[in-house]
Amino acid sequence: GVAYVTFARENPPLYRVMYDTARDRASLPDTSQRNTSSAYAKVRETLIAARADPSDSDEIDLTTAAAWCFAHGLAEMAGFKQFAHLKAICGGEAPFIRAVFRQLGLMDELQLDRGASPYAEGLRDRAHAVAREAQAVLSPTSASFEPAGLERTFTIRANEGFVAVFAANLVAAVTAAAPSARLRFSPKPDKDARPLRDGQVDLEIGVAGASVPEVRSRTILRDRFVGAVRNGHSLLTGPVTPERYAACHHVVSSRRGASAGPVDDALQELGLKRHVVVTVPGFPDAINIARRSDLVALIPHSCFAIVDRLTEGLSAFELPVQTPGLDVAAMWHPRLDSDPAHRWLRETVIAACRQARPA
């Protein structure tokens, strides 16, 4: 079990291939289905060797299934960030995995200390060699892919602020390199990872670290919040202090309808509170309201990346309080890691967005 989970953690591409194939055993050749040297069969043999009653086939099969499900679950969850402190306490990932097995009574001290079995020792070198070969197959070189002949529709899930600021640059970059490729921008009402898991979405744009642990991500740019008011606003007639900022009326954007955030926390530490008059779903809505009123908007600095109708008539200013930065990332499901077309899409999105970001 420990060896299996460790192998899955060290070789995720090969583990995915093995696991996805194993889920549909009916499609495998008969010889594969009767394979007595499989990892599953070895778990069963181990239970029998550990004094399980070989005549009670149903009980052995249920226990084997339980151990197998536990190993697969641990292989998926061992990388979760919330377990980092436990790994530190145990002295690393492998000791952490062993400790979890021990905690559930699946391994006793004798088993923990006896080391790898002869079967596992013989399998280790062969497994690593296969892993290297699989990695080579699953990671074709960029030279083997030509975007000019690509005919594919990519669905990108992003909020309306991203689409308003970066979509034009991105579309131009994609159509220039792949004239027959198509982009479909999908709305992002929440941070649910199921569209990525189910294959409904190819790429998601959002705040880094906000998705589930298995999702891959790459930072596109580091953004920050700024204030925005219409040109000629009274707030711009002098230094923007926390007191003058809080005294204004505000418009904020939130998909969940929340009117408070990090800015309010920072103001509260100073004994101040701002008055939020309007809450809207997206940044473009907040910008439009600020442009036509005396309300102060809170928007990402990247919204001023392109001087056009989006920010025309608006002036930006640095916030008078400290707030956390925003790491905007591209996120995708691990099964697309080595897809050459998807890899090209990721690189194109990142390059186009970085080109459009403000200095």
Side-chain angles (χ1 to χ4, degrees), residues 6-205:
T6 301
F7 176 80
R9 296 285 299 138
E10 293 178 350
N11 304 277
L14 183 59
Y15 167 70
R16 288 291 177 190
V17 172
M18 293 165 57
Y19 180 61
D20 287 344
T21 303
R23 286 192 295 184
D24 186 16
R25 296 192 62 81
S27 65
L28 298 177
D30 290 342
T31 53
S32 297
Q33 297 189 43
R34 295 192 298 268
N35 185 7
T36 58
S37 63
S38 67
Y40 189 91
K42 291 299 177 181
V43 173
R44 197 175 193 278
E45 292 174 8
T46 300
L47 291 173
I48 295 175
R51 297 181 296 278
D53 184 0
S55 64
D56 194 345
S57 179
D58 291 343
E59 181 67 20
I60 293 175
D61 285 342
L62 284 172
T63 306
T64 303
W68 190 251
C69 291
F70 171 76
H72 273 280
L74 185 56
E76 291 287 339
M77 297 180 65
F80 283 21
K81 292 180 180 179
Q82 56 260 48
F83 299 137
H85 70 290
L86 293 176
K87 293 178 187 178
I89 293 172
C90 295
E93 185 165 283
F96 162 73
I97 293 171
R98 292 174 184 273
V100 173
F101 271 93
R102 187 194 301 116
Q103 189 70 17
L104 293 182
L106 295 178
M107 299 181 73
D108 57 30
E109 293 300 325
L110 178 62
Q111 289 173 310
L112 285 170
D113 294 336
R114 77 172 57 156
S117 67
Y119 173 80
E121 291 285 359
L123 181 64
R124 179 181 299 156
D125 292 340
R126 183 155 51 96
H128 281 291
V130 172
R132 287 191 295 270
E133 293 175 8
Q135 185 66 43
V137 172
L138 293 171
S139 304
T141 61
S142 58
S144 64
F145 175 73
E146 293 294 338
L150 180 63
E151 294 186 10
R152 180 166 165 181
T153 299
F154 294 103
T155 300
I156 300 176
R157 190 172 186 244
N159 63 41
E160 57 269 39
F162 175 87
V163 176
V165 174
F166 297 107
N169 269 42
L170 178 54
V171 170
V174 168
T175 55
S180 297
R182 296 168 297 279
L183 294 180
R184 178 190 297 121
F185 287 98
S186 170
K188 185 180 179 179
D190 51 44
K191 299 178 181 179
D192 191 353
R194 281 178 294 184
L196 285 174
R197 286 172 172 159
D198 298 344
Q200 301 172 30
V201 170
D202 296 292
L203 198 66
E204 181 163 327
I205 309 298

Side-chain angles (χ1 to χ4, degrees), residues 2 144 176 263 274:
V2 173
S144 64
V263 169
R274 64 176 176 164

Side-chain angles (χ1 to χ4, degrees), residues 325-343:
L326 300 172
D327 287 326
V328 181
M331 294 168 277
W332 65 94
H333 193 274
R335 67 173 172 274
L336 296 170
D337 260 346
S338 301
D339 181 332
H342 194 276
R343 183 183 300 169

Side-chain angles (χ1 to χ4, degrees), residues 205-293:
I205 309 298
V207 178
S211 192
V212 294
E214 87 236 34
V215 170
R216 303 287 193 266
S217 68
R218 274 189 62 188
T219 299
I220 297 176
L221 55 90
R222 184 166 178 79
D223 210 344
R224 70 184 191 278
F225 280 114
V226 296
V229 294
R230 63 171 178 79
N231 293 340
H233 194 286
S234 60
L235 185 61
L236 303 177
T237 59
V240 181
T241 64
E243 291 77 11
R244 294 186 67 226
Y245 176 77
C248 295
H249 288 183
H250 297 259
V251 53
V252 299
S253 60
S254 170
R255 292 191 303 267
R256 301 184 303 275
S259 59
V263 169
D264 302 278
D265 296 336
L267 288 172
Q268 187 176 17
E269 291 182 1
L270 300 175
L272 300 171
K273 182 179 181 179
R274 64 176 176 164
H275 180 50
V276 175
V277 177
V278 184
T279 302
V280 293
F283 297 119
D285 301 314
I287 289 172
N288 286 330
I289 291 175
R291 183 188 295 114
R292 293 171 171 81
S293 70

